Structure formats: structure tokens, C-alpha cells
Amino acid sequence: MYRTTGIYIKNNKISKYKEIVDAGVPEVVYIPLDRHVGAPAKPVVSKGAEVKIGTLVAKADETLSVNVYSSVAGKVVETDDKLITIKTSEDIYEKSIDTSEGIITEIPDSKTLILEKIRKAGIVGMGGAGFPAAVKLDIPETCKIECLVINGLEGEPYFTADNRLMVEKAEEIVIGARIINKLLGIQNAIIAVDEENKDAVKALVGVTKRYIGVNVKAVKNKYPTAAETQLIKKLFNVEIPKTKLTRDFGYIVHNVGTVYSIYNAVMKNKPLYERIVTVSGDAADNPQNFLVRAGTPASYLANKAGSIDNARLLICGGVMMGTEISDVNTPISLLDGGLLMFKKAKKDTEASPCIRCGRCSQNCPVHLQPFEIADRLKIGDTPKLYKLRPSDCINCGICSYLCPAKIPLLDFIKMAKEQIR
Amino acid sequence: MSIRINPPHVIDKTSTKSIMLDVIIAMIPAMAVSVLFFGLNAMLVIITSVTACIALEYMCSIYWLKTKNNTQDLSAIVTGILLAFCLPGNLPLWMVIIGAFIAIVVTKMAFGGLGRNIFNPALAGRTFLFLAFPVQMTLWPKPNLRDFWNYDIKTGATALEIIKYSDVSTSATRLDNNEYLSSLPDYYDMFIGYISGSVGEISVAAILIGFFYLLYKKVITWHVPVFYMGTVFLIMYAVSLNSAEPIKYNSFLHVLSGGLMLGAVFMATDYTTSPMTAFGRIIFAVGCGVLTVLIRLNSVYMEGVAFSILIMNAFVPLIDKFTKPRIFGTGRK
Ligand code: SF4
Ligand code: SF4
């Protein structure tokens, strides 16, 4: 039946043509230890320790966890369960890291070695999910993977970091894809790129001509096509329920940023400690894409693109799914593709009664009934809530975005998730 | 006032108020046509109806439901205009106020206000008036372009009344009946709206403009109007093929005259009283169409739109229940 395949949101990709710039080293970094999925990493350095770029500062606590590395050279001033604070000094790299410029194309032969390198490097899903990449790639024998999907779509308005990465590091990404291909024992990777990002498509197509097993596909980027299951639906017309993993259906999806990090980890021995972040919004005088070290305070980064004093509203992540931050020293983590600054604080909005327009349910990418979930939650009808399956929600925020009555539907759905847990 | 901290941090501009405003804008052509053709009386009916609806909604929301002033969302104005649209242009104004009372107080606010009513308020108001004052509610003024001040009001039958009472067997001769039928307006007059009828229903052209405006603004989808009118057209067409008096079942006449187009575009598409899913809306529209035909052909009433939509309104919860979309990734192989 008639339903939408995503909605158009003004995408504001202002920084699309801005080259990636190194954001430099702030005076202090606060490296977060718990932003990934799974157990927080356990600190292995103590106060006063000298660290270099790429020094292991916290260790994976369980299988579902990741190692955390220092993004700067300097001295540890404080550690606790969640943060390691490091006062920076001049850049010195760990010796094991290959800092040379050239591109390495020779992929190691041993699958175990590749997987071990990815695991050790502390790579997480950089599209925002934060799932440990090594766990995702550790496929049991019973799963037969057919296709590797590399997600180059950025659903969030303003975000252009992945786009720039594809333009400037196309070859590394393609080699990264081949590394994963090798690990999975397949020759079939698809890089999905927003059809509007012509530069990225061109750059990648140019490179894929020289390598086998990697192809580029330009797709129309509505919101939220960039979400993993939505992308698979778009590419293969397969619907994967929330209770299943993509690998159960033969697909593995990785973000381009993750793939680039995998290249670095396997070929250059470089653990994950930095990423590309778009700094944008109407309070940014010069919206740009920065190479940012994990733990950089938001204020430092915001001042690189404008002045934080102009920003009344600061969002870590995107406008649809990110988090509003009040502390200007909030560290940027490896999962944040953007830091957005706006001149105006959010307007007061008051919810009015639902007028049953159906916008929320017609446009929900997983076909939920947000208005009904909100209703049942209010009257406390828990048995019915189970049936409405709020846990299938992918947090895209479309329902709240579209509701003409301005009901914060997503908030209610999150509460409903808690309720039936 | 509450400031939202949680995502999403941007929200769409469309609001309940902007939707209502769009509906009002879409009704302006039909209002203009009716004032042009029916003169001052029609204008007074519209103004009275809107004023009464706003006043009643205001009082109910403040003193009864104790919510904030609900009139700010403009929905009372929409109801007021719609109510006026289904009344004859020369209805005594006190009756209009009674209609507004039934619409706002009994049908809308008693159920909890905007979004909670089961029946379309304007149609409920009109139907009450129709049953309570059958004579006044079927005195249709004739349009007169040159008589804004209504010095000289003639009343006339609507096209549907004319065809309903045409009857070969009772007329003295076949010729009589043909003469009688010649009082039918031609299609051009129907399209422009130079015919007898209720305030808002006369002009097909004006309603179509409103329809396209609503489509353009994405306030409604095409499903309900098209399926509703399509159903009536097709059934009437099928019936007329095997009939001795095809004029009675003239499908064009049935679609172009009477309240069908007004009802299909503005009343059956009301969010609150129609199903939520596109599929549900199609079922709803087809149901309305079938009922309209049944009433027009088999009952003493010539109109059937108001009753059909009200009856289908009652089935909306049921339709919604059976047209719930399946959740992503479930129920498909
Ligand atoms: S936030 Fe959840 S419920 Fe709302 S539209 Fe997105 S998936 Fe559906
Ligand atoms: S979008 Fe808002 S007003 Fe429309 S049905 Fe959903 S909750 Fe109700």
C-alpha cells in the first residue's frame, strides 16, 4: 500500500566542497571510554603517565567492548570510569604506527591477522551506532554473507564529513572494502553514495575501475535511507526486522568512516583515535570538515569554525538524532559526525491535541503507530503497548519532526520502550 | 511552555494551525462564488456560522473542558465555514446558530474537543437542522448575479430534486415530463455554479480550485475525493445502462451537482473523522460512495452525502483497526 520511502528534509550541506582540515591539538582532551556499544573500556594508565599518540589508554573489558587509544601526546591528569583527561604536549607518535604518506595495496593473507588487527585497533561503527567493528565482522560459520554494503550516505542535514572522506580518500576506502571482502571471503562490496554527491561518486568510480570486487551505487538520499536497515531495503528490497541482524540475511553494513579506519588499522597499524567531523550551522562563520582527535572539547572545535559565543544552541551529532549539549567542554567522540552551532536557541513549542492526520504513522520507516503508542502510554495500557512494538523504533525522529500538533512523539516512544522492558 | 531538549532538534513548519489555514484558503473560492450568486444572505449565513462556532468553541474550551483557548488552532473557523456551506443561503440566522451549537458543542466539544470527535461536526449540525426544519432546509434560493441585496429572492429546485421527481408514468404525457426536465441547468452553469443549491456546493470550479490547492499543499491526498466520486459515478453509470429513465441516473449530473464534490473534497477528508492509512481511506471513500448512491436512489431524500459520511464516520475505528500497517520486517516472506 501507499507509504512514503522517506521524507525530504532541507539538507543544508553547506560544507560539501570544503576540504578536510586538521583541527589541531587542543590544550586538554577528555577521551571518553563509554561511547561505544558494550562495556566501557577499563583505563590502563594512571594519573601522571606520559602517553603518545596511539598509546593504549583503556582496554576492552569484555568481548563486546573496544580498546581506547590516546589521540594526543601528553600527560594524563585524571582518569575515571568514563573519561581520561590528558594535558597535551607536542605530537609524538607511537613507533608502531606507520605515518608515511603512501597508499599500501598489499592486503595481508591471514584472515585471523586482519580480524585481530581490527579488534586491537579499537574500531567502532562510526556512522553513529558505535558497535565494535571486530564483533560485527566475526561471522560465525553458519552465516553466509553475500554482500558487503558500505554506507556512504549521510542522512543528517549539514553532515558532509563522510562525503569529503570519500572524495579525498577514495582509494583507501576501496582498499578497506577489499580488506573486509577478504575477511568475509566474498568479492562483492557495494559503496552506496548519495547521488547528489557527484564528486564522491566520480572519485570512487575512478578508483573502483582498478580494483575488483568493489562497486559504487548512487542512491537517492531521503531521510532516513542512511539507516542500516533502510539502506538494505532500498538496495535489495529486503526488510530486516529489528530482532534480527543484517548478517542473518547475508549482508554486512559498514560506514565509510569505519572502512577507512579499518584500512588504517590493517595497513598502517594505526589505531582509531581521530575522525572527520563537520562543524556547521548558522552560527558557524566558516562551516568546515575537520580531522578531529577523539576527546577534543566542543568549544575548541566550535571556535575553529566560528565563535562559540555566537552559538545559543550547540548540538553534538545531527539535528535529527544528535544531542543538545549545555557543557561547552563536552568531548567529541569517535561516533560524532558533526558539531552543529546555531544562533537561536530552540523555540518553545507546545503540544496540542493529536488531530489524527496520520503523518506520523504513514512516514514511520518501520511502520509503527506513534500516536497510538503515545496514547496507550498515557493511559498506562501496557499489554497493548507490547503489541505496538515501540522497541522496533529506529529513533529517526520523523514522527516528532512531522507532527503538526507538535507532540514529542519520539520522547513518548522512548518512554514506552522503557515501560515494556 | 516547554523547551524540548531531546531530538529531533528541528521540526517541520506545518502545524495544526497552518493546516487549518490552508483549508480556509482552499474554501475561499467557493465562498466568493456563493456570495456573488446568492448575495448578502449567503454572506450573513457564513459570518453567523463562523462567529457562532468561534464563540461556542471559546466558551466550551474555557469553561467546560478547562483547556486553553482552543480557538487559536482555527479549527472552529473551518467548522463554521463548512457548516454554512451545507445550508441554503436564505436560512434564518437563528437556525444557523442552532446548527453551530450542534456542531461545536454536541458533536465536537462533548467528545473532548479537536481530534476526539467521532462525527464530522459540520455535517452533524447540518443533519440536525435538516431533520428539525425540513421545510426551510430545502428552500433553495436561485442564484442571481445582479441582486446582491437580495431584493427579489426566488427559490428553485436543485438538479437532483428535478431528476428525482421526474417520472414518466405519472406525467400526463411524455412531453410534459420532457418539458419538466428542461428546467435542468446545463453543465456549464453547473460547473460555474449558477444553480440552486446550498451555499458552498454550487460551484464545481471553485471546489476544484480548493481541491488542487489542498493537494499542492499536501494537506490531503487524492485518495478520498477520487474514490468517493469515482464510486458514485461508476455505480450510477452501471445503473443507467439498464434503465428506462437514464436521466435519473445521469452520472455526470450526480457527480457535478448536489453536495457530492463538496463532501468528497472537504468533509470526507477531515483528518479526525476519517481513517489514518491510505488503504483505510480508500475503504472509507468507497463506503461513502456506495451509501450515497443507495440513499439517492432508494430513499425519500435526494441528497445522501451528509448521511453517508456520518455513517462511515462511525466505522472509522473499525477500519483503522483492520488496516494497520504491518511492522517493518514482519509478515512478509
Ligand atoms: S522515531 Fe521511531 S516511531 Fe518515530 S518515525 Fe522514527 S522509527 Fe518511527
Ligand atoms: S502526526 Fe501528530 S497529529 Fe498527526 S496523527 Fe500523528 S500524533 Fe496525531
Side-chain angles (χ1 to χ4, degrees):
Chain A
M1 205 58 238
Y2 171 85
R3 68 173 21 266
T4 54
T5 53
I7 61 170
Y8 287 102
I9 296 177
K10 187 155 188 288
N11 65 15
N12 288 318
K13 309 258 185 201
I14 329 168
S15 48
K16 194 164 153 182
Y17 301 105
K18 296 277 180 62
E19 271 171 32
I20 299 170
V21 186
D22 192 341
V25 191
E27 253 170 56
V28 184
V29 294
Y30 310 91
I31 297 179
L33 305 179
D34 61 350
R35 291 294 304 275
H36 52 270
V37 171
K42 272 249 157 63
V44 291
V45 288
S46 45
K47 198 171 158 179
E50 294 280 346
V51 292
K52 297 177 189 160
I53 298 177
T55 308
L56 183 72
V57 290
K59 234 172 125 57
D61 200 27
E62 289 169 32
T63 328
L64 193 62
S65 181
V66 288
N67 291 338
V68 176
Y69 292 84
S70 172
S71 57
V72 291
K75 197 171 182 184
V76 177
V77 286
E78 216 182 318
T79 65
D80 63 28
D81 296 348
K82 291 191 170 144
L83 281 181
I84 292 183
T85 312
I86 301 170
K87 183 139 186 7
T88 58
S89 56
E90 205 170 315
D91 278 358
I92 314 168
Y93 289 86
E94 279 286 348
K95 279 200 200 68
S96 53
I97 301 175
D98 173 0
T99 50
S100 62
E101 285 287 312
I103 292 172
I104 304 172
T105 52
E106 218 42 49
I107 300 172
D109 261 334
S110 152
K111 287 187 187 180
T112 10
L113 176 72
I114 296 176
L115 192 61
E116 196 41 44
K117 280 189 166 186
I118 295 174
R119 190 186 317 276
K120 237 186 100 210
I123 293 171
V124 292
M126 290 163 81
F131 195 82
V135 180
K136 200 173 190 176
L137 287 170
D138 193 0
I139 315 274
E141 289 288 318
T142 47
C143 271
K144 198 157 160 16
I145 301 301
E146 280 157 24
C147 186
L148 165 69
V149 177
I150 294 165
N151 189 349
L153 297 174
E154 288 168 294
E156 287 278 6
Y158 297 98
F159 278 30
T160 55
D162 286 351
N163 174 44
R164 281 321 295 184
L165 190 65
M166 288 185 289
V167 175
E168 294 176 30
K169 306 285 179 194
E171 183 147 10
E172 286 89 334
I173 291 170
V174 173
I175 298 171
R178 300 195 68 217
I179 296 174
I180 307 175
N181 265 350
K182 175 138 201 178
L183 190 57
L184 299 173
I186 57 172
Q187 282 289 0
N188 184 16
I190 294 176
I191 308 180
V193 192
D194 184 347
E195 60 181 14
E196 277 173 36
N197 292 343
K198 305 228 164 54
D199 292 359
V201 177
K202 214 171 104 195
L204 286 167
V205 167
V207 177
T208 47
K209 278 189 196 133
R210 290 186 276 126
Y211 294 93
I212 23 170
V214 186
N215 292 301
V216 181
K217 188 154 170 73
V219 273
K220 181 169 264 168
N221 187 15
K222 285 191 190 174
Y223 188 79
T225 310
E228 193 169 270
T229 48
Q230 297 295 316
L231 182 60
I232 289 186
K233 161 97 186 178
K234 174 109 189 172
L235 292 174
F236 310 103
N237 199 21
V238 171
E239 291 186 3
I240 299 175
K242 184 90 176 231
T243 47
K244 289 267 171 63
L245 298 170
T246 54
R247 71 178 188 206
D248 300 335
F249 287 76
Y251 305 107
I252 288 287
V253 185
H254 274 293
N255 167 270
V256 280
T258 319
V259 175
Y260 178 61
S261 311
I262 287 175
Y263 165 85
N264 279 330
V266 176
M267 308 304 232
K268 302 248 170 179
N269 271 326
K270 182 181 155 193
L272 180 60
Y273 57 77
E274 59 187 9
R275 70 160 295 146
I276 319 295
V277 179
T278 303
V279 185
S280 189
D282 63 5
D285 305 323
N286 185 14
Q288 278 185 78
N289 306 296
F290 290 104
L291 177 63
V292 177
R293 303 176 189 225
T296 299
S299 54
Y300 173 86
L301 193 55
N303 282 330
K304 286 266 156 186
S307 162
I308 193 152
D309 300 329
N310 293 339
R312 295 271 87 78
L313 168 63
L314 212 53
I315 296 168
C316 190
V319 285
M320 293 302 283
M321 292 175 76
T323 325
E324 179 176 350
I325 53 178
S326 46
D327 178 2
V328 292
N329 283 328
T330 307
I332 305 295
S333 79
L334 293 163
L335 314 185
D336 302 320
L339 175 70
L340 302 179
M341 43 209 284
F342 295 98
K343 283 190 186 133
K344 283 197 196 113
K346 274 195 268 179
K347 265 198 248 120
D348 297 347
T349 42
E350 202 169 354
S352 55
C354 166
I355 53 170
R356 290 180 34 92
C357 67
R359 278 179 168 74
C360 56
S361 56
Q362 269 164 24
N363 293 290
C364 172
V366 288
H367 316 178
L368 300 182
Q369 311 270 302
F371 64 93
E372 198 176 347
I373 294 175
D375 255 14
R376 298 286 166 180
L377 184 74
K378 275 184 222 155
I379 58 172
D381 186 351
T382 317
K384 184 80 202 203
L385 268 186
Y386 276 102
K387 291 208 187 115
L388 294 167
R389 296 183 47 174
S391 41
D392 282 42
C393 166
I394 59 168
N395 294 334
C396 70
I398 284 186
C399 47
S400 296
Y401 175 83
L402 286 179
C403 178
K406 311 296 168 205
I407 302 172
L409 291 160
L410 178 54
D411 296 359
F412 285 116
I413 286 160
K414 284 180 180 161
M415 280 189 249
K417 279 186 197 172
E418 288 295 314
Q419 180 96 20
I420 64 169
R421 213 182 356 230
Chain B
M1 291 283 170
S2 60
I3 298 175
R4 281 192 223 167
I5 303 167
N6 299 336
H9 305 287
V10 283
I11 44 179
D12 193 32
K13 288 190 297 297
T14 314
S15 65
T16 305
K17 191 171 170 175
S18 76
I19 290 172
M20 295 297 168
L21 191 64
D22 277 336
V23 176
I24 294 172
I25 293 172
M27 293 190 293
I28 286 176
M31 275 192 275
V33 169
S34 67
V35 173
L36 205 61
F37 292 169
F38 294 140
L40 184 65
N41 279 344
M43 196 154 128
L44 287 179
V45 167
I46 297 175
I47 292 174
T48 312
S49 172
V50 170
T51 321
C53 284
I54 295 177
L56 288 167
E57 170 127 357
Y58 182 80
M59 286 192 283
C60 285
S61 62
I62 300 278
Y63 298 112
W64 186 13
L65 296 179
K66 307 256 192 274
T67 52
K68 275 193 310 25
N69 174 7
N70 272 349
T71 51
Q72 280 174 8
D73 58 35
L74 307 182
S75 65
I77 301 180
V78 172
T79 306
I81 300 176
L82 281 176
L83 175 65
F85 270 12
C86 25
L87 304 176
N90 52 354
L91 195 74
L93 297 183
W94 60 271
M95 286 187 193
V96 177
I97 295 174
I98 293 183
F101 179 83
I102 299 292
I104 294 291
V105 180
V106 178
T107 321
K108 187 175 172 191
M109 301 315 261
F111 283 86
L114 182 69
R116 296 187 181 267
N117 49 305
I118 296 172
F119 297 104
N120 186 315
L123 285 178
R126 168 204 127 109
T127 306
F128 177 84
L129 291 178
F130 184 70
L131 298 174
F133 311 107
V135 179
Q136 291 88 334
M137 281 294 287
T138 45
L139 274 184
W140 310 108
K142 276 195 168 160
N144 189 345
L145 200 50
R146 303 220 174 67
D147 185 23
F148 178 75
W149 301 104
N150 303 112
Y151 292 123
D152 173 28
I153 303 174
K154 292 201 189 71
T155 57
T158 65
L160 288 180
E161 284 168 338
I162 296 173
I163 56 171
K164 182 120 197 166
Y165 295 122
S166 90
D167 193 342
V168 195
S169 50
T170 54
S171 307
T173 64
R174 201 184 165 80
L175 219 61
D176 269 3
N177 197 42
N178 282 350
E179 200 171 312
Y180 171 68
L181 282 176
S182 71
S183 60
L184 271 178
D186 61 27
Y187 286 136
Y188 176 74
D189 281 347
M190 274 190 226
F191 187 71
I192 297 300
Y194 205 63
I195 52 172
S196 295
S198 75
V199 168
E201 75 182 19
I202 48 172
S203 173
V204 171
I207 297 173
L208 277 182
I209 294 174
F211 179 40
F212 289 125
Y213 179 75
L214 291 180
L215 283 184
Y216 168 71
K217 283 285 186 169
K218 296 209 170 71
V219 173
I220 60 173
T221 54
W222 55 272
H223 301 84
V224 170
V226 170
F227 273 88
Y228 191 173
M229 294 191 281
T231 308
V232 173
F233 184 89
L234 288 179
I235 301 182
M236 285 295 180
Y237 187 72
V239 175
S240 72
L241 287 181
N242 313 313
S243 158
E245 299 170 274
I247 185 73
K248 260 200 157 124
Y249 311 107
N250 184 327
S251 11
F252 285 106
L253 226 148
H254 274 283
V255 171
L256 293 183
S257 74
L260 178 56
M261 194 167 264
L262 177 69
V265 173
F266 288 113
M267 318 258 193
T269 53
D270 173 35
Y271 289 146
T272 304
T273 56
S274 67
M276 289 256 201
T277 60
F279 186 47
R281 285 177 187 161
I282 291 173
I283 298 177
F284 175 83
V286 170
C288 285
V290 171
L291 285 175
T292 304
V293 173
L294 285 178
I295 295 172
R296 282 190 179 178
L297 296 187
N298 297 325
S299 75
V300 293
Y301 302 116
M302 22 263 135
E303 260 302 351
V305 174
F307 286 121
S308 324
I309 297 180
L310 286 174
I311 293 170
M312 288 311 289
N313 282 165
F315 284 104
V316 165
L318 204 65
I319 298 176
D320 268 342
K321 197 171 162 197
F322 286 105
T323 53
K324 249 191 210 141
R326 79 192 155 74
I327 290 173
F328 189 83
T330 60
R332 214 170 74 153
K333 272 168 223 116

